[in-house]
Amino acid sequence: MNASVINRFAKIVTAGSAKGRSRRLALTLPLAAVIAAGAVGCTSDTTTHAAPSTAPTLSTPTTTPTPTTTPTTTAPTATPAPTTSPTPTETATTAPAPAPSTGSPAAATGAPVAAKTPAATPLRTTPVLKAGSGVAIRFDGLVKGQHIEAGGGAVAFSVTWTNTDTKRFDTVIPVVAAHFFDGAQCSLPARMADGTIERKDGSTWTSFPVSQGTDVGYASRGEKVAFGLAPGASRTFRFRLRLDAGNNPGTLGVEAEAVSSVASFVKIGRGVTVDTTVTDSHRPKATVLDAPGTFTAGETATEFKVRVGNPTRSAFRLAVPTVVLPGINQGAASTRERAGLPDGAVPVQVEAQDHGRWRSLPTRFDCNGELSVDTTGLEHALAAGGSADYTFRITLSRPLAGDSFKVRFGASADQHRAPSAEVAPEYAG
């Protein structure tokens, strides 16, 4: 405290000394409190100060001063740190800045004071608005790398659309669908996962194909639940995703978008994609036991032996081998021309040994454009750890265009598909 302030207080005390001992004591108590408060107010650091020695008639209190004798100061309110505009995949939050340290009169006199816990600053829930930012999208319950079992139960999640723009959007069409999938069973017309996505509409669930398809028509799936969004407003929908057992393992991207028009497919903001992992713990196993080293076109049949096994801990109700001839495809016109066959015909015959006799199996072009053998009727139930062996013989009546011949063996069990095993004997033409 500076000298001028102390002098003023001294004058006040001197002027009252003529009125008697009792009056002097009455003035001494508030003077000590004022001097103690002034000592705190005039210091620039946070060091604890002892009571001034200029008031010898006042003993230092050992209990917390009452509000009538000790002034208190209020800690400044914490100021939120500045935030940056969130991206569509994140939610803006504000972390409170630490409150500045301020000395208190009790600290200056050494009196104990109960610690005061500052009130927590709530997280920011209002989005940061920015012109031209459009609609931000957030997934909840579906994260990158999350496993989705082929043929398993439905995976539940929700998607929230938030208007982070400064203008209102009168029409927001919510769209959720999967990208093309390398683990798809079929490649024609495109590699699309088999399964469904359901959206909760009021008290009912609306189901639609899981894949986006080959055009922008998939956006129409959200047209009947289109909504408007004022700046800062949000809308959330619940979804369930289920994949069929025929999907192979792989990475499946699930995308959410906001569209203002189905006809022109105008997007509002950026779409958000979550890359999930498709798994299958119920796959059978196909093993080639015997295959020829060479293969020659002609009337002589060539035998192949295959085993279908169940490596899982659950029994298969129906397990069957699969056979594909990838070298003979629907688009290979030169194959038919060289063999002198009419359009649509194939120069191959496939037979399977069934209960001690040979049975001819029909062939057809599958959804990959390859010649597939229909093995219906060869199904077996397989216990966990069990297996079944099959013998096939293939006859190529005319030479193929090219210098290779391939056979791809696999298996299907309760619609789950085994990784294929391909053999390519030397082709003698």
Side-chain angles (χ1 to χ4, degrees), residues 56-240:
T57 57
L58 177 66
S59 60
T60 304
T62 58
T63 59
T64 303
T66 61
T68 58
T69 58
T70 304
T72 58
T73 57
T74 303
T77 302
T79 303
T83 61
T84 57
S85 298
T87 64
T89 58
E90 64 183 6
T91 302
T93 60
T94 302
S101 176
T102 304
S104 66
T109 60
V113 177
K116 193 173 183 179
T117 303
T121 302
L123 296 178
R124 178 187 293 273
T125 57
T126 303
V128 177
L129 304 182
K130 182 180 179 181
S133 61
V135 173
I137 300 171
R138 186 187 74 246
F139 278 87
D140 290 300
L142 194 67
V143 298
K144 181 178 181 180
Q146 183 169 335
H147 287 190
I148 301 178
E149 180 77 5
V155 176
F157 61 95
S158 65
V159 181
T160 299
W161 285 262
T162 301
N163 183 1
T164 58
D165 210 312
T166 55
K167 67 177 182 180
R168 173 184 171 83
F169 292 102
D170 293 326
T171 303
V172 178
I173 302 174
V175 182
V176 176
H179 291 174
F180 292 150
F181 177 47
D182 287 340
Q185 182 177 343
C186 296
S187 61
L188 297 176
R191 290 196 172 277
M192 296 180 285
D194 293 322
T196 58
I197 288 182
E198 295 176 289
R199 182 187 60 232
K200 187 67 177 295
D201 298 337
S203 60
T204 62
W205 289 91
T206 302
S207 178
F208 43 87
V210 66
S211 179
Q212 292 177 343
T214 57
D215 55 37
V216 298
Y218 69 94
S220 63
R221 303 168 187 172
E223 200 166 19
K224 76 172 187 177
V225 293
F227 52 89
L229 277 183
S234 298
R235 184 71 179 273
T236 299
F237 285 90
R238 294 167 56 194
F239 295 88
R240 296 190 304 208

Side-chain angles (χ1 to χ4, degrees), residues 323-348:
V323 184
V324 177
L325 304 172
I328 305 175
N329 56 64
Q330 195 169 17
S334 59
T335 298
R336 296 190 294 273
E337 291 171 0
R338 182 172 177 178
L341 298 171
D343 187 31
V346 291
V348 65

